[in-house]
Amino acid sequence: PSTVAWNAVISSYAQQSGIENEVFGLYKGMKRQGLWPSRSTFASMLSAAANMKAFVEGRQFHASSIRHGLDANVFVGSSLINLYAKCGCISEAKSVFDFSRERNIVMWNAMLNGLVRNELQEEAIQMFWYMTRLGLEADEFTFVSVLGACAYLDSHCLGRQVQCVTIKNGMAASLLVANATLDLYSRFGAIVDAKTLFSLIPYKDSVSWNALIVGLAHNGEEEEAI
């Protein structure tokens, strides 16, 4: 099998919960065949290590990516940030981000999500405003992280500001962003706004319904919640 074939199998195993550890054996088999791992190989390996919170194995793959000259790649860098953030090693994630020569929106999002995951919401908000000053175009995943940070900080005013940016950027129609905004309104007790937003979501999923039900229940409208 070629490198592409190995990568396809490694990626498939890395995405399946409960069997991620088998990718380590596949990686060794690929190496024994004498094939050179690519950025896709390391991205999948690091993703599997992150899902298992396997810090030691993740560090080994990080070292291996450096030896193969792929640690500066944006896909590998994003996977490294995700790994360290999930393992609670946010300083290592910051180091990867700070020393990356090239940063795309995926890498910025990985860092934002890592900060929120490690309860550094204020730092995540600051990074978001820094992104906007740099002229970087945020996507729906950016706003989901930032709106989550606003909800955690219990900052209604800040949440409104971020929502205005989502509208300006044309992201308010995204289901992910709409659900995050709905959750924000419910937490702040702005139940009228939550109901209005809910009525405007064309294709609601379980997250949409749950956010409104919780908001109603927490704001004294138990009968409507039921």
Side-chain angles (χ1 to χ4, degrees), residues 39 70-79 100-104 106-107:
R39 67 181 187 182
L70 293 170
D71 59 307
N73 179 268
V74 290
F75 297 103
V76 176
S78 300
S79 299
S100 297
R101 294 189 295 272
E102 181 185 356
R103 299 172 189 160
N104 63 359
V106 176
M107 184 169 283

Side-chain angles (χ1 to χ4, degrees), residues 78-154:
S78 300
S79 299
L80 284 168
I81 291 170
N82 183 48
L83 165 74
Y84 288 132
K86 282 189 174 181
C87 291
C89 303
I90 198 64
S91 58
E92 282 85 350
K94 289 179 182 178
S95 295
V96 173
F97 182 82
D98 291 339
F99 287 101
S100 297
R101 294 189 295 272
E102 181 185 356
R103 299 172 189 160
N104 63 359
I105 190 62
V106 176
M107 184 169 283
W108 281 90
N109 285 345
M111 194 67 243
L112 278 171
N113 182 264
L115 291 170
V116 173
R117 180 187 293 274
N118 286 272
E119 299 184 359
L120 296 170
Q121 281 78 12
E122 291 184 0
E123 196 169 337
I125 296 293
Q126 291 173 2
M127 174 172 276
F128 171 70
W129 292 128
Y130 179 60
M131 280 179 63
T132 60
R133 288 196 298 272
L134 290 177
L136 292 170
E137 188 170 346
D139 63 12
E140 58 184 357
F141 299 106
T142 312
F143 289 115
V144 168
S145 293
V146 177
L147 288 166
C150 293
Y152 183 91
L153 293 171
D154 199 23

Side-chain angles (χ1 to χ4, degrees), residues 1-219:
S2 65
T3 300
V4 175
W6 279 101
N7 284 344
V9 175
I10 289 172
S11 176
S12 297
Y13 273 77
Q15 295 172 30
Q16 296 298 318
S17 178
I19 59 171
E20 302 100 326
N21 60 328
E22 295 191 33
V23 301
F24 303 144
L26 288 168
Y27 177 74
K28 291 177 181 177
M30 179 183 182
K31 294 285 287 182
R32 281 196 299 270
Q33 193 178 323
L35 293 174
W36 193 265
S38 67
R39 67 181 187 182
S40 298
T41 313
F42 285 113
S44 296
M45 300 301 298
L46 291 165
S47 176
N51 291 337
M52 294 187 296
K53 296 183 179 179
F55 178 76
V56 174
E57 290 82 354
R59 292 280 286 189
Q60 292 174 354
F61 290 125
H62 187 178
S64 185
S65 69
I66 293 172
R67 288 197 300 272
H68 288 85
L70 293 170
D71 59 307
N73 179 268
V74 290
F75 297 103
V76 176
S78 300
S79 299
L80 284 168
I81 291 170
N82 183 48
L83 165 74
Y84 288 132
K86 282 189 174 181
C87 291
C89 303
I90 198 64
S91 58
E92 282 85 350
K94 289 179 182 178
S95 295
V96 173
F97 182 82
D98 291 339
F99 287 101
S100 297
R101 294 189 295 272
E102 181 185 356
R103 299 172 189 160
N104 63 359
I105 190 62
V106 176
M107 184 169 283
W108 281 90
N109 285 345
M111 194 67 243
L112 278 171
N113 182 264
L115 291 170
V116 173
R117 180 187 293 274
N118 286 272
E119 299 184 359
L120 296 170
Q121 281 78 12
E122 291 184 0
E123 196 169 337
I125 296 293
Q126 291 173 2
M127 174 172 276
F128 171 70
W129 292 128
Y130 179 60
M131 280 179 63
T132 60
R133 288 196 298 272
L134 290 177
L136 292 170
E137 188 170 346
D139 63 12
E140 58 184 357
F141 299 106
T142 312
F143 289 115
V144 168
S145 293
V146 177
L147 288 166
C150 293
Y152 183 91
L153 293 171
D154 199 23
S155 178
H156 192 182
C157 179
L158 187 58
R160 289 285 193 181
Q161 291 177 23
V162 175
Q163 189 209 3
C164 289
V165 179
T166 68
I167 295 170
K168 180 181 176 182
N169 288 26
M171 288 289 169
S174 160
L175 180 60
L176 289 175
V177 175
N179 284 344
T181 309
L182 186 60
D183 179 64
L184 189 75
Y185 285 159
S186 297
R187 286 173 182 262
F188 292 155
I191 203 63
V192 175
D193 291 331
K195 290 178 184 179
T196 302
L197 177 59
F198 182 81
S199 67
L200 295 173
I201 299 174
Y203 302 105
K204 305 169 182 63
D205 61 4
S206 60
V207 178
S208 314
W209 287 95
N210 288 339
L212 184 62
I213 290 169
V214 170
L216 290 167
H218 286 179
N219 289 279

